[in-house]
Amino acid sequence: MKSKALMLLAFGAVAMFVAGPAWAGDKKMMKPVNYKVVDGYKIPQSLTGKPGDAERGRKLAINRKKGNCLACHILPIPEQPFHGKIGPNLNQVAERYSEGEIRLRVVDPKVLNPDTIMPSFYKYDGFHRILKKFEGKSILSAQEVEDIVAYMLTLK
Ligand code: HEC
């Protein structure tokens, strides 16, 4: 009898240990990072306080459930057959824009052009009629935004 109770206790502890980090991760996803738009056209500060990873950013740009940038933009990603032409060609985007200007365009391009069809990838509020499952979530996490910004900065 006693050993059964002990086993249950041990099992519970393991379950909590396993569930703990996942739950903490979700919490973090839900809590937006505060960022500052400077002079109305740029976000000079990294959302995570660190530079992103360009290699991961390239993968996110391809991923249809994440950046999906290829749906609307031409990028130097020859292994992907379809590149959209709705937005400007991004091949040399780092020559046209600074890091802060690129970051604002990924985080919330509607600050610059309220009518743009480009999604705001790091936005938590101000949506109308949002699906319940998307409430309080942005398309990209702060880290993913930084990875994409790092990738964009290699395009010159
Ligand atoms: C649904 C289409 C669409 C998607 C998806 C999209 N964009 Fe855009 N993007 C546009 C359009 C259209 C513009 C032109 C600016 C405007 O509409 O105000 C633009 C402009 C930009 C610009 C400024 C380029 C310039 O030369 O002015 C950058 C940088 C950019 N997008 C990056 C991205 C990245 C990175 C992704 C993926 C994370 C992405 N876009 C996904 C449609 C899209």
Side-chain angles (χ1 to χ4, degrees):
M1 227 38 223
K2 204 169 159 208
S3 72
K4 203 170 174 188
L6 261 171
M7 236 171 76
L8 265 172
L9 231 132
F11 182 75
V14 169
M16 257 169 73
F17 178 77
V18 172
W23 172 80
D26 274 348
K27 265 292 223 228
K28 226 165 89 199
M29 264 297 285
M30 305 283 283
K31 194 167 167 289
V33 169
N34 284 321
Y35 59 82
K36 206 164 130 213
V37 178
V38 174
D39 298 335
Y41 74 94
K42 59 184 176 187
I43 303 173
Q45 293 261 325
S46 158
L47 301 185
T48 59
K50 286 178 289 205
D53 177 327
E55 206 34 56
R56 273 201 315 247
R58 189 181 190 274
K59 292 195 185 113
L60 288 164
I62 297 171
N63 188 325
R64 305 234 163 254
K65 292 207 167 132
K66 290 289 187 175
N68 199 15
C69 317
L70 280 179
C72 299
H73 292 285
I74 294 174
L75 284 159
I77 302 181
E79 72 273 23
Q80 290 287 323
F82 178 81
H83 295 210
K85 295 200 177 116
I86 298 164
N89 184 325
L90 296 181
N91 269 311
Q92 259 128 34
V93 71
E95 282 177 9
R96 295 196 291 280
Y97 296 114
S98 68
E99 179 184 332
E101 289 171 303
I102 292 173
R103 187 173 290 107
L104 174 59
R105 280 165 172 84
V106 178
V107 165
D108 191 5
K110 297 198 169 44
V111 170
L112 299 158
N113 172 10
D115 297 326
T116 186
I117 58 157
M118 176 159 159
S120 297
F121 286 94
Y122 195 74
K123 198 174 157 98
Y124 282 85
D125 47 30
F127 291 117
H128 303 288
R129 304 170 50 121
I130 190 161
L131 281 177
K132 197 94 196 147
K133 66 174 177 176
F134 293 132
E135 245 171 43
K137 289 193 189 130
S138 56
I139 305 174
L140 297 176
S141 69
Q143 182 62 57
E144 289 167 341
V145 168
E146 290 310 319
D147 293 343
I148 289 193
V149 170
Y151 170 54
M152 293 281 118
L153 287 172
T154 67
L155 306 182
K156 51 187 167 195

